[in-house]
Amino acid sequence: MQIWMLSVGTLIVALAVLDALSTTLAASTAAGPITSKIGGGIWRVGRRIASGPRSPLLVLMGPVIVVSTVATWLFLLWMGWTLVFSSDVSAVVSTATGQPADWWARTYFAAYSLFTLGLGDYVPHGAPWQLATSLALVNGLGLTTLAITYLVPVVTAVTERRQQASTISALGTDAQAIVASAWDGASLRFLDQPLFTLSQQIALTTQRHLSYPILHFYHSRSRAQEFAVSIAALDEALTIITEAVDVTIRPHPAALGAARTAVRDLLAVVGSTFHEPASQTPPPPDLTPLRQIGLPVMDDDRFAARLDELAGHRARLLAFATGSTWPWSQAVEARTD
């Protein structure tokens, strides 16, 4: 028996199972080591090749990464079990001749043992290898079932992220528009209910990013449906309200606090895995459109000084928004889709 072959094969199988379990079942801040490298690598290549944020190539990145991840798990299982069955020359024999199977026959035997009960032309020889074949079958079918059941909620979560982005965009296509749409000439209290609702939805999406880290690689060609840029526009609107607008006309403090906390928690989860804070902060939001509609805001110099206290938060927000490939000027300040 080739001990090194048995050891390497077992290690490969264990690595595939560990990566699949950590990606699909562990609500952590990152996927498994293999999934993380595959997802990050494919996404970086896609970003370099894509012509811009509306490129169809970026839309395909999410599904491609999911399929590539599952295919890698299954391929590793196949190769690992092939090495296991190849570690003993008499582990697999031909039913027709009784002769030990060669390398290609063992590869074939490992594949159909993982996903079916076999065709009967090759069989395990001896009780230990019969047990190993049973374990391979359970391993293959179990991981395949796990992968399939993982994909369904991922698609649901992607749809809900886009719905949340559309809800934010309906309030306004940029930070100033969100504030302006809520101004009734006396206060911004119109935002009370939307902020409470959005804070709950964003908190749920944050937890789904923990459960399904692959969500980060799903991209929308429509700015109105791109989650990262809509979150950035919403948070910049909150910054304008909390730092430049008098407290007497703001939305209820509980609504503002809930929305701000939800965004901070989201940035903490996503940033810990996918983004370092940007090396600079985004430019201050332009308050001129708000002055033009009669909304009382502080002067630009005082506003800029208060933004200094939010430099770290806004740097993380910049990294999150531009990580979706949308430039900040289009993501947060754009007024058309």
Side-chain angles (χ1 to χ4, degrees):
M1 176 179 286
Q2 298 289 330
I3 299 300
W4 72 266
M5 197 174 291
L6 178 63
S7 301
V8 172
T10 302
L11 181 62
I12 292 174
V13 170
L15 180 61
V17 172
L18 177 63
D19 189 84
L21 291 178
S22 61
T23 299
T24 59
L25 297 182
S28 62
T29 56
I34 299 174
T35 300
S36 297
K37 285 182 170 48
I38 291 174
I42 294 176
W43 178 250
R44 285 191 292 272
V45 171
R47 287 193 60 174
R48 290 173 183 170
I49 298 176
S51 58
R54 299 182 190 275
S55 171
L57 178 63
L58 293 177
V59 179
L60 293 174
M61 287 297 98
V64 167
I65 290 170
V66 169
V67 172
S68 299
T69 299
V70 174
T72 300
W73 292 340
L74 300 181
F75 178 76
L76 288 176
L77 283 188
W78 185 15
M79 291 298 99
W81 280 106
T82 297
L83 288 173
V84 168
F85 288 122
S86 298
S87 63
D88 188 339
V89 68
S90 61
V92 180
V93 298
S94 170
T95 55
T97 65
Q99 295 299 309
D102 59 18
W103 171 262
W104 290 111
R106 293 170 192 272
T107 303
Y108 160 70
F109 175 79
Y112 75 55
S113 295
L114 282 169
F115 308 114
T116 71
L117 293 176
L119 300 178
D121 46 354
Y122 288 93
V123 294
H125 180 65
W129 294 111
Q130 291 171 348
L131 177 60
T133 302
S134 298
L135 290 175
L137 175 62
V138 172
N139 189 193
L141 293 182
L143 192 143
T144 302
T145 302
L146 185 66
I148 293 172
T149 55
Y150 177 72
L151 298 181
V152 175
V154 167
V155 174
T156 301
V158 170
T159 301
E160 291 183 354
R161 278 199 348 154
R162 290 179 178 173
Q163 179 268 327
Q164 292 169 26
S166 297
T167 300
I168 295 171
S169 298
L171 295 175
T173 54
D174 55 69
Q176 293 87 345
I178 291 174
V179 178
S181 66
W183 175 242
D184 61 7
S187 74
L188 298 171
R189 296 302 294 269
F190 168 81
L191 284 175
D192 284 356
Q193 186 57 49
L195 289 180
F196 274 124
T197 301
L198 285 169
S199 64
Q200 296 171 359
Q201 294 176 347
I202 294 169
L204 177 59
T205 295
T206 299
Q207 295 305 310
R208 284 179 171 158
H209 269 275
L210 288 170
S211 300
Y212 315 119
I214 207 163
L215 283 178
H216 186 74
F217 300 118
Y218 276 82
H219 179 84
S220 176
R221 295 179 66 188
S222 168
R223 183 210 168 279
Q225 295 182 355
E226 179 54 51
F227 181 72
V229 299
S230 295
I231 289 294
L234 174 66
D235 193 73
E236 284 290 89
L238 296 176
T239 295
I240 293 172
I241 293 170
T242 57
E243 305 301 328
V245 174
D246 188 86
V247 66
T248 59
I249 64 174
R250 296 176 190 173
H252 195 281
L256 287 173
R260 193 66 138 187
T261 299
V263 174
R264 288 184 187 275
D265 289 346
L266 173 68
L267 294 180
V269 166
V270 176
S272 64
T273 303
F274 298 105
H275 298 299
E276 293 291 332
S279 58
Q280 59 185 4
T281 58
D286 184 8
L287 301 181
T288 303
L290 303 179
R291 295 191 181 99
Q292 292 174 345
I293 64 171
L295 197 157
V297 293
M298 68 173 53
D299 63 79
D300 290 337
D301 290 339
R302 289 176 57 203
F303 181 49
R306 298 190 67 168
L307 288 182
D308 290 341
E309 300 177 5
L310 295 173
H313 172 74
R314 298 184 73 237
R316 287 188 290 272
L317 187 69
L318 175 63
F320 181 48
T322 56
S324 66
T325 74
W326 288 87
W328 181 264
S329 59
Q330 296 181 40
V332 180
E333 301 170 3
R335 295 180 181 277
T336 59
D337 195 336

